[in-house]
C-alpha cells in the first residue's frame, strides 16, 4: 500500500486517485509498483481535467467510488474518461491508446477498427458491449462508455486477470444511462458466453448486480430529496453540452435559451423507470420503488422550472431582436457576480416586487426561483429573479400557456415584435423597463417598447 503523508491535511486530487487505485487493485490481488500506479492515475487525472467538464469531473468520480467494492471502484474511476462531445474528441493521453481501436467518422461518431481483433483486452471489451469491427457508434449509442472501457482494460490488463477485466468492463457498460432494464439480462448473457474461468452463471449474475449498483449510484442525484440539489447537477450539465456557456460574459440570450430548451426537451421525455434499474435483488424492491418515485417528482419539477425560465429568456431574446438584434445576455441583464465584482449592476435592481395575482403558485417552485439552487453556477445566477417576478404576476397555469405561445417566435415563423405584441401587459412592460435601465445602447428603444405594452391590461 502507498505510504500516506503523516500530517492532518487533505490530499490533493491526484493523490486521492492514486490511493483509490492502489486500494482497489490490492483488494483484487493486483501488485503494481508505486511507479506503475502513476500511468493510469495520470491518464484519468488528465482526462477529467478538461476545461469543459463541470459535472463529469474528478469530484464526481471520487464521490461515486467512495466506499464501493474494488470492481465498482475501478469501473467508476474509468467510466467517464472519454466524453467526446464535451472534450471535442479524445483527451491527449488517451488518443494514442484508442487510435488503433476507433476511427473517427462524420461528426462525433467513431467506427470500431480491425485493431480490436489484435488486442485481447479490447476484444474482451467489445464482446461484453456486443460490438464488433465495423460498428459505428455515437455518444448516444454507447461510444463514450465503450471507449472508456477500452481505456480501462488497456490500463489494467498488466495487473488483473481476464475475469476482473470483464467485470470492470461490464460495470462501465451498465453506466450507459436511461435504458430499459432488460439490457442487464442481455449483459449477463454476454458475460456468460465469454467462458472465462471463474465467471460461471452465478458469478456473472453477481457481476451484473455490482454493475447495476454502480449505474444506480451514478445517477443517484435523480433521487435527491432536496429539489434544489437535484437542479444543481442538472445545471452543471448545461455547459458540458452547450459550449457557448463556457464564456459567461459573452454568450447571447438565444444561446442560453437554446441550452434550456435542449434540457427541457430531454427531461420532458425521460421516464423515471429508465433512470434507476433493478436486477435480481439489487436493489431491494422497496429501495427501487422509492428511487423511482423521487426521480419522477424531481423530473416533473425540473421540467416546470425549466419551462418557466424558458418563457422569461424567450421574452428577453425577443426584446433584443426587436430593438437591434440578439446580443450578450450580460448587456440586457447585467453582470454575474464573481471574485472581481461581487455587486454588479443588474436589471432586477430596477424591478419592483410583483404582487401575487394568482393563487396558482407552487411554494416549492417559487422558492427555487426566488432563493435559487443549492450552490452557485459558473455561468448564471442561482436564483431566477425575473422568472420569479413573472411567476408571481401570472401564476403557473397562465405562465405555461404563455410559454406555448413562444413556439412560433422561437421557430422563426413570426417576427419578435409581432410576438411581443401578443404578450403585452403591465408585468411584461415592467420587465422591459427594468432591462432598459441596464441596456444603455437600447434604453430608448426598450422604453418605447415598454410604453406600448403597459397600455394593455393582461
Amino acid at each position: 500500500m502507498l505510504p500516506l503523508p503523516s500530517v492532518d491535511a487533505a490530499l490533493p486530487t491526484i493523490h486521492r486517485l492514486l490511493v483509490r487505485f492502489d486500494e482497489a487493485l490490492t483488494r483484487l490481488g493486483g501488485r503494481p509498483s508505486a511507479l506503475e500506479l502513476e500511468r493510469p492515475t495520470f491518464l484519468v487525472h488528465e482526462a477529467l481535467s478538461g476545461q469543459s467538464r463541470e459535472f463529469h469531473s474528478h469530484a464526481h468520480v471520487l464521490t461515486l467510488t467512495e466506499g464501493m467494492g474494488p470492481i465498482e471502484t475501478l469501473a467508476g474511476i474509468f467510466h467517464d474518461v472519454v466524453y467526446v462531445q464535451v472534450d471535442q474528441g479524445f483527451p491527449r493521453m488517451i488518443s494514442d491508446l484508442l487510435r488503433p481501436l476507433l476511427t473517427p467518422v462524420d461528426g462525433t461518431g467513431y467506427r470500431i477498427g480491425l485493431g480490436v481483433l489484435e488486442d485481447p483486452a479490447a476484444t474482451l471489451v467489445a464482446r461484453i458491449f456486443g460490438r464488433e469491427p465495423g460498428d459505428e457508434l455515437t455518444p448516444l449509442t454507447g461510444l463514450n462508455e465503450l471507449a472508456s472501457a477500452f481505456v480501462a482494460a488497456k490500463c489494467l490488463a498488466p495487473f488483473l486477470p481476464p475475469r476482473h477485466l470483464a467485470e470492470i468492463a461490464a460495470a462501465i457498460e451498465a453506466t450507459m444511462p436511461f435504458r430499459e432494464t432488460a439490457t442487464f439480462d442481455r449483459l449477463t448473457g454476454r458475460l456468460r458466453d465469454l467462458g472465462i474461468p471463474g465467471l460461471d452463471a452465478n458469478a456473472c449474475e453477481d457481476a451484473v448486480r455490482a454493475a447495476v449498483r454502480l449505474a444506480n449510484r451514478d445517477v443517484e442525484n435523480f433521487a435527491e430529496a432536496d429539489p434544489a440539489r437535484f437542479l444543481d447537477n442538472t445545471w452543471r450539465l448545461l455547459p458540458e453540452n452547450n459550449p457557448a456557456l463556457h464564456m459567461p460574459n459573452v454568450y447571447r440570450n438565444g444561446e442560453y435559451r437554446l441550452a434550456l430548451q435542449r434540457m427541457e426537451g430531454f427531461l420532458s421525455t425521460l421516464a423515471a423507470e429508465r433512470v434507476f434499474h433493478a436486477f435480481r435483488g439489487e436493489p431491494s424492491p422497496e429501495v427501487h420503488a422509492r428511487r423511482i418515485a423521487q426521480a419522477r417528482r424531481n423530473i416533473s419539477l425540473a421540467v416546470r422550472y425549466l419551462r418557466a425560465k424558458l418563457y422569461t429568456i424567450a421574452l428577453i431574446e425577443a426584446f433584443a431582436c426587436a430593438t437591434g438584434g440578439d446580443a450578450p445576455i450580460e448587456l440586457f441583464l447585467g453582470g454575474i457576480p464573481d471574485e472581481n465584482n461581487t455587486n454588479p449592476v443588474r436589471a432586477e435592481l430596477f424591478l419592483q416586487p410583483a404582487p401575487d395575482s394568482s393563487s396558482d403558485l407552487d411554494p416549492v417552485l417559487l422558492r427555487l426561483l426566488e432563493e435559487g439552487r443549492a450552490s452557485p453556477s459558473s455561468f448564471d445566477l442561482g436564483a431566477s429573479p425575473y422568472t420569479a417576478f413573472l411567476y408571481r404576476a401570472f401564476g403557473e397555469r397562465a405562465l405555461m400557456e404563455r410559454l406555448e405561445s413562444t413556439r412560433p417566435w422561437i421557430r422563426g415563423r413570426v417576427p419578435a415584435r409581432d410576438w411581443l405584441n401578443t404578450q403585452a401587459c403591465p408585468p411584461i412592460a415592467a420587465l422591459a423597463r427594468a432591462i432598459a435601465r441596464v441596456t444603455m445602447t437600447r434604453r430608448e428603444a426598450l422604453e418605447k417598447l415598454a410604453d406600448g405594452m403597459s397600455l394593455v391590461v393582461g
Side-chain angles (χ1 to χ4, degrees):
M1 299 288 287
L2 290 174
L4 297 178
S6 56
V7 293
D8 184 19
L11 290 175
T13 298
I14 196 166
H15 294 76
R16 294 176 67 192
L17 284 171
L18 278 166
V19 170
R20 203 66 56 90
F21 264 119
D22 185 41
E23 290 176 346
L25 286 169
T26 299
R27 289 174 65 184
L28 292 174
R31 293 289 183 269
S33 68
L35 284 179
E36 285 174 325
L37 277 174
E38 288 187 355
R39 179 174 179 266
T41 303
F42 292 173
L43 182 149
V44 171
H45 186 261
E46 180 190 86
L48 300 179
S49 298
Q51 186 176 9
S52 301
R53 289 181 179 244
E54 295 233 0
F55 177 78
H56 296 94
S57 62
H58 304 100
H60 170 61
V61 162
L62 288 167
T63 300
L64 173 67
T65 57
E66 181 70 35
M68 294 291 271
I71 295 294
E72 299 102 301
T73 294
L74 292 171
I77 287 173
F78 279 101
H79 84 293
D80 278 338
V81 293
V82 174
Y83 215 97
V84 293
Q85 69 270 40
V86 174
D87 298 327
Q88 302 300 302
F90 298 140
R92 180 178 55 88
M93 287 183 72
I94 287 173
S95 183
D96 288 345
L97 188 152
L98 290 178
R99 189 172 294 115
L101 309 177
L102 294 166
T103 303
V105 189
D106 297 336
T108 57
Y110 283 77
R111 180 183 295 113
I112 299 177
L114 292 174
V116 167
L117 301 178
E118 301 170 2
D119 186 322
T123 300
L124 180 71
V125 169
R127 290 185 63 187
I128 289 169
F129 276 72
R131 296 293 184 175
E132 59 186 22
D135 286 355
E136 292 185 9
L137 295 93
T138 70
L140 296 178
T141 57
L143 169 63
N144 293 327
E145 292 81 6
L146 176 68
S148 295
F150 279 152
V151 174
K154 295 283 287 180
C155 288
L156 300 176
F159 315 120
L160 297 176
R163 172 185 175 173
H164 293 330
L165 297 180
E167 291 169 329
I168 291 165
I172 295 175
E173 197 273 355
T175 63
M176 292 170 60
F178 313 128
R179 297 179 296 167
E180 58 182 16
T181 297
T183 58
F184 298 106
D185 289 317
R186 294 193 287 271
L187 176 59
T188 305
R190 293 196 297 271
L191 269 178
R192 189 170 54 247
D193 291 345
L194 293 173
I196 294 176
L199 270 182
D200 59 17
N202 290 333
C204 288
E205 287 192 10
D206 288 342
V208 176
R209 287 189 189 94
V212 168
R213 191 158 49 245
L214 177 69
N216 284 337
R217 190 163 182 177
D218 194 30
V219 293
E220 67 179 352
N221 177 249
F222 276 86
E224 175 63 60
D226 180 358
R229 295 190 64 82
F230 169 67
L231 283 171
D232 262 2
N233 281 354
T234 302
W235 236 246
R236 289 209 298 272
L237 289 170
L238 285 175
E240 289 195 347
N241 296 303
N242 299 275
L245 302 186
H246 299 155
M247 303 172 69
N249 299 319
V250 177
Y251 68 80
R252 296 175 177 244
N253 299 295
E255 291 170 325
Y256 184 70
R257 187 259 305 162
L258 185 58
L260 299 189
Q261 199 173 335
R262 287 170 174 162
M263 184 59 75
E264 186 275 336
F266 164 67
L267 287 177
S268 65
T269 59
L270 177 61
E273 291 77 10
R274 286 181 174 264
V275 176
F276 292 105
H277 300 287
F279 177 79
R280 303 181 190 180
E282 174 57 46
S284 70
E286 296 77 16
V287 169
H288 185 57
R290 186 166 61 248
R291 286 171 173 169
I292 295 292
Q294 188 61 47
R296 188 176 292 113
R297 288 191 289 269
N298 281 333
I299 292 169
S300 174
L301 181 62
V303 168
R304 292 163 52 221
Y305 174 85
L306 284 161
R307 286 175 177 171
K309 288 177 70 69
L310 267 170
Y311 176 68
T312 306
I313 193 59
L315 275 176
I316 296 166
E317 184 184 2
F319 290 157
C321 291
T323 59
D326 200 11
I329 198 170
E330 185 181 47
L331 178 69
F332 288 82
L333 300 185
I336 298 174
D338 58 29
E339 59 184 11
N340 298 316
N341 187 354
T342 58
N343 188 32
V345 64
R346 291 196 53 82
E348 67 260 28
L349 299 175
F350 306 101
L351 191 63
Q352 296 300 314
D356 293 353
S357 63
S358 172
S359 60
D360 181 29
L361 299 175
D362 177 357
V364 177
L365 180 54
L366 182 62
R367 176 175 61 84
L368 286 171
L369 294 172
E370 291 187 332
E371 299 178 15
R373 301 176 300 274
S375 57
S377 162
S378 66
F379 61 92
D380 73 348
L381 297 178
S384 305
Y386 315 104
T387 303
F389 171 82
L390 296 176
Y391 187 69
R392 282 190 177 276
F394 296 128
E396 185 163 343
R397 184 179 297 104
L399 193 65
M400 295 306 164
E401 290 172 355
R402 284 175 171 266
L403 172 66
E404 288 302 310
S405 77
T406 67
R407 302 193 188 283
W409 138 241
I410 286 173
R411 293 168 181 168
R413 295 174 182 169
V414 299
R417 191 174 291 272
D418 289 353
W419 176 69
L420 286 171
N421 288 338
T422 70
Q423 303 302 300
C425 61
I428 304 299
L431 180 61
R433 284 199 181 93
I435 292 172
R437 299 289 297 275
V438 173
T439 314
M440 296 181 291
T441 54
R442 312 274 182 101
R443 179 174 295 181
E444 184 177 349
L446 279 167
E447 288 178 344
K448 184 177 180 181
L449 194 66
D451 289 342
M453 287 184 162
S454 62
L455 300 175
V456 181
V457 177

